[in-house]
């Protein structure tokens, strides 16, 4: 069963998922700290280039099936023009902004 972005527990995580769903690049990056880090399957990636390529140019979105760890871990299929796979998204949120995001295929 899919979880709507507005039902997610953590406000920063909620903002990221809603921005992906809405294709709102500005809102997406506003949820992240300026020095935020990202890994994709364990490989460090520049956040802005990765998000543009994997989410905004490819119409990517996450269908959240469940959230764990007080809303800081999301599991569900990620769909885009390029991908259709089950994923885990782990967030580190400090002072209301995402400091680190680790995305991995399951």
């Amino acid at each position: 069963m899919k979880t709507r972005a507005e039902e997610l527990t953590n406000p920063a995580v909620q903002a990221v998922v809603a921005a992906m769903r809405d294709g709102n690049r500005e809102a997406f990056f506003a949820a992240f700290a300026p020095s935020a880090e990202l890994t994709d399957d364990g490989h460090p990636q520049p956040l802005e280039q990765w998000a543009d390529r994997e989410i905004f140019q490819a119409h990517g979105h996450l269908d959240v099936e469940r959230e764990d760890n007080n809303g800081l871990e999301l599991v569900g299929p990620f769909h885009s023009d390029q991908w259709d796979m089950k994923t885990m998204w782990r967030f580190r949120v400090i002072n209301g902004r995402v400091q680190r995001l680790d995305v991995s295929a399951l």
Side-chain angles (χ1 to χ4, degrees), residues 48-62:
E48 187 171 352
Q49 289 94 333
W50 181 90
D52 282 339
R53 180 182 68 246
E54 301 292 340
I55 297 169
F56 298 106
Q57 294 168 1
H59 310 105
H61 65 279
L62 175 65

Side-chain angles (χ1 to χ4, degrees), residues 22-42:
D22 299 340
N24 188 334
R25 187 178 184 278
E26 184 177 323
F28 180 88
F29 288 112
F32 286 84
S35 60
E37 299 175 342
L38 168 84
T39 66
D40 184 349
D41 284 328

